[in-house]
Amino acid sequence: MRLRILLLVTMVLAFGTARRAAAQGDPWKNAQAAFNQGETYYLSGKFDDAAAAFKKAYEARPMPQFLYNVGAAYHMKGKKASEPESYDKAVDYYTRYLGENKDAKDKEQVEKVIAVLKAEAERLRAAAAAAAAAAATQPTNPTGTQPTPPTPP
């Protein structure tokens, strides 16, 4: 009886190890698993996690479409958070996508998106600079209270 249990446990462990080794060695499966995780993150609004998962998919299987997905994740993060840095990352990954996919059918559309994102990132930076300049010209009140207007004579 003990021999049967030991044999069964050994077979289960060997089968599990073989499956893990096969999964680790199969770039398609690794890429698909990472893509599925990225898609879940993307749909739940976790754009940094989505970008990381799509990058992992690309590392497993270097397909330009994964670069596009990384760009899309950063694009959405930039849109939701008004972050020019995220737009910059989106531009980088969209550009890499086009660079690796010379025959992209959506090339014109992606190029337009890149131009729009560059302009939006610049607009956000200009608005932040203007807000900082305006804040710098405002008088400061160290007590945090409204200054009392002078009493008329």
Side-chain angles (χ1 to χ4, degrees):
M1 181 69 174
R2 282 187 177 177
L3 183 59
R4 285 186 197 172
I5 292 173
L6 183 58
L7 185 59
L8 180 62
V9 169
T10 303
M11 288 175 52
V12 167
L13 289 175
F15 180 73
T17 302
R19 282 187 69 192
R20 273 195 308 279
Q24 290 173 350
D26 187 349
W28 285 104
K29 287 183 181 177
N30 293 340
Q32 184 66 49
F35 172 80
N36 290 344
Q37 187 64 56
E39 188 175 41
T40 300
Y41 285 138
Y42 184 90
L43 294 173
S44 63
K46 297 178 181 177
F47 300 116
D48 283 327
D49 293 334
F54 293 141
K55 287 176 191 177
K56 190 174 178 181
Y58 180 78
E59 290 168 8
R61 191 77 182 154
M63 297 173 58
Q65 294 80 0
F66 293 135
L67 296 173
Y68 181 90
N69 291 337
V70 175
Y74 284 127
H75 182 163
M76 287 306 296
K77 181 182 180 191
K79 185 175 182 178
K80 294 286 183 186
S82 295
E83 270 186 12
E85 296 81 14
S86 293
Y87 283 143
D88 293 340
K89 289 178 183 179
V91 166
D92 289 343
Y93 279 94
Y94 285 148
T95 302
R96 283 183 61 190
Y97 161 74
L98 292 177
E100 291 190 25
N101 192 6
K102 302 287 186 202
D103 299 325
K105 293 179 179 171
D106 58 349
K107 181 179 179 178
E108 285 184 32
Q109 181 182 359
V110 174
E111 287 173 338
K112 287 178 185 177
V113 168
I114 288 170
V116 168
L117 293 181
K118 284 180 178 180
E120 183 63 8
E122 189 59 37
R123 185 193 69 75
L124 288 171
R125 285 188 178 91
T137 61
Q138 295 293 322
T140 58
N141 185 353
T143 62
T145 60
Q146 292 292 328
T148 308
T151 313

